[in-house]
Amino acid sequence: MAFLLSSLSSRFVDRFDFKSKKRKKVTDFPLKMLWVIRFTGFFSAALVMIVLSPSLQSFPPAEAIRSSQFDGYLRYPGQTPAVYSLNRFSFRKASSFGNAEECSSGYRKSSGETTVCDPVLVHVAITLDVEYLRGSIAAIHSILQHSLCPRDIFFHFLVSDTNLETLVRSTFPQLKFKVYYFDPEIVRNLISTSVRQALEQPLNYARNYLADILEPCVRRVIYLDSDLVVVDDVSKLWTTSLGSRTVGAPEYCHANFTKYFTAGFWSDKRLSGTFAGRKPCYFNTGVMVIDLVKWRRFDYTKRIERWMEIQKNSRIYELGSLPPYLLVFAGHVAPIEHRWNQHGLGGDNVRGSCRDLHPGPVSLLHWSGSGKPWLRLDSNRPCPLDALWAPYDLYGPSP
Ligand SMILES: *[C@@H]1O[C@H](CO)[C@@H](O)[C@H](O)[C@H]1NC(C)=O
């Protein structure tokens, strides 16, 4: 074992200079690690930790944020609301980031203001929910770490309760972003109870309204969930062609599509007839590339809301915000490579239910399901793949 361990780690060190700031190498490195995991299974968990530790060290000494902007409650699922002293528990400042020479924009030279309408920008939308804040911050961190031109990324943050702007600003001082308030009342009357409580948060439905919330000059957006990390350059996802489609996402045509809707739905032809002439496949709404121009033109928000109204009166599905997307878009989605949503890593959070990766390359790891890596790491019962989330975590006191 010692031999295997040392030969593997020396291979990593040979191929990847961890101290180097060259982003291409940083981008490749988790993919190679994942390869190791695939082929050696659980045994490799220990290896992952060892292999990861140099990259952990490459993060500069963290600086605690001692601000008072956040005097609300930080709640985590399964815990009673607890007041966190922000002097002790807060987010460390991320390392500074800059564009590589080959970036097309002039931002690295000019210090002038960027406007959200600049056509060179890559637009990413993420919700900032107090319960998933740690995940959102890790997601942002991962995107910046693996991007060749991180200064060309504009983040659109959707929030509902607390003003998190100062917290984001102190964690990522150079970040280009805007915070939007999403009024829970917009969807309050449209949400029906779903099987999983966590899926009923109004902010889960904010993605339905991106076309209205974001500035009209923003023509395309990548929507990302808060329980994922990106381990590749997000600009590759950004430039994916959607053809004539409005939404792009990895499709899963082998999944049993029937189970996403109730028997009542399938037996009522007025409802299930919506899929006539389509070849609907399941897709996950946690990673989507959205053409906002087409979305606005065809008012997909209204179409989604109509299905939510129907759901309120006659239960046609069990899950939360996902099924309306399937109803409106399944079969009309631009298929994106599966590497951009290695989903299901959350599993069902029952001991021993850790998930493995799907075959193939990985650009994005998604802990969908009820198990979240930060909770499992904190409880000292992590799944092997949770070690791939940990390097992006900025939560906690300054060491
Ligand atoms: C798909 O799911 C439905 C509903 O749960 C079930 O009745 C059906 O047998 C499943 N089909 C296959 C091919 O597994």
Side-chain angles (χ1 to χ4, degrees), residues 256-261 266:
N256 185 350
F257 195 79
T258 312
K259 69 176 185 187
Y260 293 100
F261 301 95
W266 290 113

Side-chain angles (χ1 to χ4, degrees), residues 158-177:
L158 307 160
V159 305
S160 271
D161 36 22
T162 327
N163 178 12
L164 299 168
E165 190 158 348
T166 322
L167 188 140
V168 174
R169 175 58 65 214
S170 357
T171 309
F172 305 102
Q174 301 148 305
L175 201 70
K176 291 188 169 68
F177 71 93

Side-chain angles (χ1 to χ4, degrees), residues 85-374:
S85 156
L86 284 164
N87 288 342
R88 280 173 50 240
F89 294 97
S90 58
F91 291 94
R92 303 185 294 276
K93 194 198 250 175
S95 36
S96 65
F97 55 88
N99 277 1
E101 276 303 313
E102 49 268 59
C103 296
S104 56
S105 79
Y107 298 141
R108 64 187 180 276
K109 301 217 170 71
S110 79
S111 54
E113 282 295 296
T114 319
T115 77
V116 66
C117 294
D118 194 310
V120 84
L121 293 172
V122 169
H123 296 276
V124 177
I126 301 183
T127 60
L128 297 181
D129 181 320
V130 282
E131 296 212 11
Y132 286 84
L133 190 56
R134 192 169 165 187
S136 300
I137 296 287
I140 300 159
H141 194 200
S142 71
I143 291 168
L144 298 172
Q145 290 276 315
H146 294 281
S147 174
L148 196 64
C149 310
R151 299 266 190 135
D152 296 351
I153 305 173
F154 196 102
F155 287 87
H156 303 264
F157 297 124
L158 307 160
V159 305
S160 271
D161 36 22
T162 327
N163 178 12
L164 299 168
E165 190 158 348
T166 322
L167 188 140
V168 174
R169 175 58 65 214
S170 357
T171 309
F172 305 102
Q174 301 148 305
L175 201 70
K176 291 188 169 68
F177 71 93
K178 191 168 169 183
V179 175
Y180 305 81
Y181 176 71
F182 178 72
D183 185 356
E185 288 307 317
I186 293 172
V187 288
R188 187 88 70 202
N189 296 325
L190 284 170
I191 301 178
S192 60
T193 49
S194 78
V195 283
R196 255 174 63 200
Q197 283 284 320
L199 299 177
E200 290 164 29
Q201 294 304 319
L203 215 43
N204 269 343
Y205 296 84
R207 71 194 90 188
N208 303 355
Y209 300 90
L210 286 170
D212 298 331
I213 297 171
L214 271 46
E215 287 77 357
C217 66
V218 179
R219 303 170 60 86
R220 175 181 277 217
V221 71
I222 297 174
Y223 177 81
L224 297 175
D225 270 351
S226 299
D227 50 357
L228 53 78
V229 292
V230 177
V231 293
D232 198 353
D233 196 324
V234 75
S235 68
K236 295 181 198 166
L237 178 59
W238 175 254
T239 52
T240 303
S241 167
L242 299 185
S244 61
R245 309 303 201 188
T246 303
V247 169
E251 284 188 302
Y252 305 92
C253 293
H254 296 299
N256 185 350
F257 195 79
T258 312
K259 69 176 185 187
Y260 293 100
F261 301 95
T262 60
F265 169 83
W266 290 113
S267 62
D268 188 338
K269 287 286 166 259
R270 286 169 307 167
L271 299 173
S272 54
T274 192
F275 290 121
R278 288 153 76 177
K279 264 194 69 191
C281 296
Y282 170 79
F283 67 95
N284 181 284
T285 52
V287 179
M288 293 187 285
V289 181
I290 302 174
D291 182 325
L292 294 172
V293 176
K294 288 203 185 74
W295 185 294
R296 291 173 186 126
R297 188 185 306 150
F298 299 110
D299 201 357
Y300 284 111
T301 300
K302 190 98 243 121
R303 298 191 195 195
I304 287 172
E305 283 185 336
R306 260 187 235 129
W307 283 111
M308 291 173 74
E309 302 265 12
I310 292 171
Q311 163 76 351
K312 266 196 73 181
N313 302 322
S314 47
R315 206 167 175 81
I316 55 171
Y317 52 78
E318 302 297 339
L319 290 171
S321 61
L322 171 78
Y325 272 84
L326 296 180
L327 286 159
V328 174
F329 295 110
H332 293 320
V333 157
I336 286 176
E337 281 183 277
H338 288 118
R339 63 191 301 153
W340 286 104
N341 196 347
Q342 286 272 345
H343 65 292
L345 303 181
D348 55 12
N349 212 20
V350 175
R351 217 164 142 64
S353 74
C354 293
R355 300 290 172 87
D356 201 357
L357 290 169
H358 306 269
V362 179
S363 293
L364 184 151
L365 296 149
H366 187 186
W367 278 261
S368 53
S370 52
K372 299 302 168 203
W374 54 91

